[in-house]
Amino acid sequence: MKKAFGVILTMIVLSLHAVFAHSSVVAKVNLILTVVDDKGAPVGDAKVSGSGWIPGKYGAAVFNDVTDKNGEYKVSFNSAVDYGFHVVKDGYYRSYMFYYLSDGTGPKIADGYWQPNPMKKTVVLKPIKNPVPMYVKGVKEKAPVYGQPVGYDLMAGDWVAPYGKGSVQDFIFNVTGEKNESGFNANTKMVISFSNEKDGIQFFKSSPLHNEEPLGSKFWSAYEAPLDGYEPVYEYERIIAKGVTRKDLNFYYRVRTQVDENGQVEKAMYGKIYKDFYCYYDHFNNEIKVCFWYYLNPDWTRNVEFSSGQNLFPEGNNGYLSNP
């Protein structure tokens, strides 16, 4: 896999609400929304709940209704700058969408309506298919050694002995880093390798983000991890620089792979990592921490649809891992 670079955000970015708060123009949004499933079939009776934004008038542009039998919902409402909505239905994963009406170059309004008029949007509701129990854990831990390999056992949720209670090296970390001149931060590098032939990792991007969460379905990934495309090494380098952090990267991985005499995969365990897979220098504790939020399916299938509430770790979901 090509070297992936992360950077530390050093500049505060003002929200568009703050930028436009004193110059917002309120106009009507004429929205035609179509809700479909992952095959493109219309989803009727899906509940749509949302609102526009009017400065100083919270809740003044709220809308709530359901789609018709063709999966369509039409609504007009007032708004300035943006609007957003949730779409829910039993048997499907919730979807959330958010749209800016102006890009800051000036209002796009004609005859009292935001343009284009009407605004046609399509939202996909992914059906809940076959969620299964998994090992799910958010890791934010000190690398036990620097400059030499150390394994992490995903089913144990810990480093391998003698640094923890793990016994299988699913991920093999090699972490290095050094302080910069100020001593406040450090450039860090993390190389991940694997134990078995055909083990590996590959990244996938989420949909566009709002408030650092992907828009669209709450179920970000595919239902199954890919058959191919896994790289045997993953490199991450964190460089102190201006810019933005990687927020839309996610990963599929394959571990504990067994191959036949022809080198073909006979069986393996698959999983996914939501959000970035990175390391950073913790200057308060003078240590480098590795961070990732992983799901591992132990049933030897490529299914990566997690059944919420069925975390196989006895401590449960760590308080915040709620996505499927």
Side-chain angles (χ1 to χ4, degrees):
M1 178 176 288
K2 293 182 180 179
K3 185 180 294 184
F5 292 94
V7 293
I8 296 177
L9 183 63
T10 58
M11 301 179 65
I12 299 175
V13 180
L14 297 176
S15 71
L16 284 178
H17 278 184
V19 171
F20 300 129
H22 300 294
S23 59
S24 297
V25 177
V26 176
K28 275 196 173 295
V29 175
N30 189 12
L31 175 65
I32 299 179
L33 176 66
T34 302
V35 180
V36 298
D37 64 15
D38 61 330
K39 304 296 185 183
V43 179
D45 293 320
K47 183 178 180 181
V48 181
S49 303
S51 66
W53 179 72
I54 302 176
K57 294 183 179 181
Y58 178 77
V62 173
F63 51 90
N64 293 281
D65 212 330
V66 297
T67 57
D68 63 20
K69 64 180 180 180
N70 297 314
E72 193 170 84
Y73 172 58
K74 299 179 181 180
V75 62
S76 294
F77 55 93
N78 290 322
S79 189
V81 181
D82 58 37
Y83 66 96
F85 54 86
H86 295 268
V87 183
V88 298
K89 184 177 181 178
D90 287 345
Y92 295 82
Y93 293 107
R94 173 181 59 83
S95 282
Y96 172 66
M97 300 303 296
F98 184 90
Y99 299 98
Y100 287 112
L101 296 165
S102 174
D103 58 7
T105 60
K108 298 177 181 178
I109 297 172
D111 300 324
Y113 283 88
W114 286 101
Q115 300 300 306
N117 178 30
M119 291 187 180
K120 297 182 179 181
K121 304 292 184 182
T122 299
V123 173
V124 176
L125 278 188
K126 288 185 175 182
I128 299 171
K129 293 185 176 181
N130 182 32
V132 296
M134 294 189 191
Y135 291 95
V136 182
K137 185 173 183 178
V139 177
K140 188 176 182 180
E141 298 179 5
K142 172 188 175 182
V145 292
Y146 303 145
Q148 55 183 292
V150 56
Y152 192 90
D153 186 327
L154 297 172
M155 291 181 71
D158 202 357
W159 303 102
V160 300
Y163 305 105
K165 62 179 182 295
S167 59
V168 177
Q169 298 188 99
D170 292 310
F171 293 162
I172 302 174
F173 290 80
N174 194 327
V175 177
T176 57
E178 59 182 9
K179 295 181 181 178
N180 64 7
E181 293 180 358
S182 71
F184 188 75
N185 285 308
N187 295 335
T188 56
K189 182 176 181 179
M190 178 177 73
V191 179
I192 309 296
S193 56
F194 299 87
S195 296
N196 305 296
E197 182 183 356
K198 300 292 186 177
D199 282 359
I201 191 168
Q202 60 179 288
F203 72 85
F204 69 96
K205 286 196 173 186
S206 63
S207 57
L209 306 178
H210 176 61
N211 291 335
E212 300 188 10
E213 296 293 331
L215 295 172
S217 178
K218 186 178 180 181
F219 180 47
W220 304 349
S221 71
Y223 290 95
E224 291 186 325
L227 272 172
D228 302 304
Y230 296 92
E231 298 287 346
V233 175
Y234 166 65
E235 296 184 27
Y236 174 90
E237 189 168 2
R238 189 176 183 92
I239 301 174
I240 307 305
K242 293 182 179 180
V244 294
T245 53
R246 309 182 311 169
K247 299 181 184 297
D248 60 348
L249 288 187
N250 309 273
F251 301 82
Y252 299 113
Y253 61 86
R254 179 165 63 200
V255 294
R256 309 195 184 198
T257 309
Q258 300 176 25
V259 298
D260 61 21
E261 63 275 9
N262 297 314
Q264 300 301 308
V265 175
E266 284 191 327
K267 60 187 299 189
M269 288 188 184
Y270 294 84
K272 61 186 177 182
I273 294 172
Y274 273 165
K275 299 189 175 182
D276 207 354
F277 191 2
Y278 66 100
C279 66
Y280 75 98
Y281 179 72
D282 179 352
H283 66 273
F284 292 109
N285 297 300
N286 193 31
E287 62 190 24
I288 299 174
K289 288 185 176 176
V290 298
C291 304
F292 58 109
W293 170 7
Y294 72 90
Y295 297 70
L296 174 69
N297 180 4
D299 72 3
W300 302 96
T301 72
R302 293 187 292 117
N303 186 355
V304 288
E305 184 180 6
F306 172 56
S307 179
S308 297
Q310 296 193 62
N311 191 344
L312 295 174
F313 282 118
E315 63 268 28
N317 67 0
N318 298 325
Y320 69 98
L321 302 177
S322 59
N323 285 54

